[in-house]
Amino acid sequence: QVQLQESGPGLVKSSGTLSLTCGVSDDPIASLNWWSWVRQPPGKGLEWIGEIFHDGRARYNPSLKSRVSIKVDKYKNEFSLKLSSVTAADTAVYYCARLNAAIAVKLGDAWFDPWGQGILVTVSS
Amino acid sequence: QSLLTQPPSMSAAPRQRVTISCSGSSSNIGNNAVSWYQQLPGKAPKRLIYYDDLVPSGVSARFSGSKSGTSASLAISGLQFEDEADYYCATWDDSLSAWVFGGGTKLTVL
């Protein structure tokens, strides 16, 4: 059973950089799937942050692109997220998820499964 | 304001059938597959439907999905108290070049 697990600091200072890692078990990250980050502010909906392929190709939400960087480490079977210049608006539960693209006709037909349990990151002033 | 519009809340009695709508445009639902997710209180989202209407193994057959043009729907039949959750639709938007989620629908089982 594929499992994803987020890890990292739960508290980040305003104007600092948020850094999270997602460990993947029972599925090689060097597959035909993409690996994603999604966040959810308290009491609000889901927002896609970005995703990465094992060869390093990444796609980002245009609204966050200037502040986001996603990297992959095939040897550790994990991928990471960095979000710079954070403010209180970046306080959210951050989820990592596998984007199932291997059997999709095109990338736009893919779906997110499974998801990690999520990690709450609070930006403090 | 999400590009995918869902009703913020719905309610129904046990054993009834409810349909949650997700309205988009030609650049998202009209050209890409839709997936649906269930989020129980305090939990991570869970895939319910993929490729518009496919139900993965392990998900109850009481859940079904459909799509027509630029709108998609999630139907839940034989409602149970355990179905009380937030439901989200998602798809790729070709114009934005981004994955978009609906605003979410909070389902209450009365």
Side-chain angles (χ1 to χ4, degrees):
Chain A
Q1 177 111 358
V2 180
Q3 289 190 320
L4 284 73
Q5 178 71 58
E6 305 87 352
S7 61
L11 190 64
V12 180
K13 287 192 174 181
S14 184
S15 78
T17 297
L18 178 159
S19 296
L20 297 174
T21 298
C22 181
V24 180
S25 57
D26 292 327
D27 187 19
I29 210 163
S31 66
L32 295 180
N33 296 309
W34 289 64
W35 303 92
S36 306
W37 288 97
V38 177
R39 71 179 182 178
Q40 184 172 37
K44 297 188 177 180
L46 301 168
E47 179 183 34
W48 175 72
I49 299 170
E51 61 202 17
I52 193 162
F53 198 58
H54 66 81
D55 63 0
R57 280 179 290 155
R59 304 192 302 180
Y60 301 121
N61 188 322
S63 68
L64 298 169
K65 190 173 183 177
S66 63
R67 300 193 291 130
V68 175
S69 176
I70 298 177
K71 302 292 185 186
V72 65
D73 187 327
K74 289 184 290 187
Y75 305 103
K76 292 184 177 179
N77 218 51
E78 62 185 32
F79 60 108
S80 61
L81 167 70
K82 288 190 185 298
L83 180 65
S84 63
S85 305
V86 297
T87 69
D90 295 309
T91 293
V93 175
Y94 286 75
Y95 296 101
C96 57
R98 183 180 67 184
L99 182 69
N100 291 262
I103 58 173
V105 173
K106 55 184 172 70
L107 191 53
D109 290 340
W111 59 95
F112 299 95
D113 179 70
W115 297 62
Q117 66 183 26
I119 183 169
L120 174 62
V121 179
T122 301
V123 177
S124 68
S125 54
Chain B
Q1 190 83 4
S2 176
L3 294 180
L4 303 181
T5 302
Q6 295 182 234
S9 62
M10 299 184 73
S11 62
R15 295 181 300 279
Q16 285 192 332
R17 174 186 171 93
V18 66
T19 300
I20 299 172
S21 61
C22 176
S23 178
S25 68
S26 58
S27 66
N28 43 64
I29 292 179
N31 197 43
N32 298 291
V34 176
S35 52
W36 287 90
Y37 303 87
Q38 177 193 58
Q39 187 175 34
L40 296 170
K43 299 294 187 181
K46 168 192 167 185
R47 175 194 54 162
L48 280 181
I49 300 289
Y50 67 108
Y51 248 115
D52 299 334
D53 59 6
L54 298 184
V55 181
S57 60
V59 173
S60 172
R62 297 185 298 106
F63 294 92
S64 62
S66 64
K67 188 174 86 173
S68 178
T70 58
S71 292
S73 296
L74 171 71
I76 312 172
S77 60
L79 266 179
Q80 300 177 2
F81 287 113
E82 66 195 48
D83 297 329
E84 201 162 272
D86 293 325
Y87 293 86
Y88 294 90
C89 58
T91 189
W92 177 258
D93 187 276
D94 295 326
S95 297
L96 201 59
S97 291
W99 290 98
V100 290
F101 289 90
T105 298
K106 183 175 184 63
L107 176 63
T108 300
V109 181
L110 303 170

